[in-house]
């Protein structure tokens, strides 16, 4: 079970998903779960720990750090109250919902909750 407000998932963009999977499997022994032609989850010892999304426009600033929340709306309110700004409204995805925010330095992070 994910831990409330802990780093739970790292996601990054790649230009060629097949090549990225080949590289990380070969270099580090990573295993993957495919979620369609443009996304693969990265499997860790205790479940999925990250993902790679194929896109032409790579995300600036590197990987997207994703935190888990037991109460997505309360976490959104806390982010805004602390001085963060909303980068992506809450949205649904297979298995849950999430939103993206910018911290005061402009770093983009995300918070998700299970469905």
């Amino acid at each position: 079970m994910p831990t409330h407000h802990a780093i739970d998932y790292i996601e990054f963009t790649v230009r060629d998903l097949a090549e990225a999977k080949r590289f990380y499997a070969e270099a580090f022994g990573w295993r993957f779960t495919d979620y369609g032609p443009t996304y693969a989850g990265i499997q860790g010892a205790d479940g999925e720990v990250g993902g790679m999304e194929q896109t032409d426009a790579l995300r600036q600033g590197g990987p997207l750090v994703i935190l888990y929340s037991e109460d997505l709306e309360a976490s959104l309110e806390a982010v805004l109250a602390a001085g963060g700004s909303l980068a992506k409204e809450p949205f649904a995805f297979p298995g849950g919902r999430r939103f993206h925010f910018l911290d005061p330095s402009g770093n983009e992070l995300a918070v998700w909750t299970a469905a």
Side-chain angles (χ1 to χ4, degrees):
M1 185 68 190
T3 301
H4 185 63
H5 287 175
I7 293 173
D8 182 64
Y9 201 84
I10 302 294
E11 186 174 79
F12 56 98
T13 54
V14 298
R15 288 196 169 97
D16 182 331
L17 185 59
E19 174 61 12
K21 287 170 42 181
R22 182 212 57 79
F23 170 79
Y24 285 106
E26 185 176 316
F28 304 111
W30 288 7
R31 295 173 296 110
F32 304 94
T33 299
D34 292 323
Y35 296 107
T38 62
Y39 197 91
I42 301 166
Q43 299 305 308
D46 296 323
E48 199 163 282
V49 297
M52 297 186 298
E53 177 185 15
Q54 181 174 304
T55 179
D56 290 332
L58 299 182
R59 182 180 296 114
Q60 296 301 307
L64 176 65
V65 175
I66 303 174
L67 309 176
Y68 180 77
S69 175
E70 295 170 354
D71 184 338
L72 195 69
E73 285 69 28
S75 295
L76 175 56
E77 289 176 19
V79 163
L80 298 176
S85 61
L86 194 59
K88 285 188 184 178
E89 295 283 340
F91 63 92
F93 65 91
R97 295 177 53 237
R98 81 182 198 194
F99 68 89
H100 292 212
F101 68 93
L102 300 176
D103 71 11
S105 295
N107 294 302
E108 184 174 349
L109 288 86
V111 180
W112 83 282
T113 194

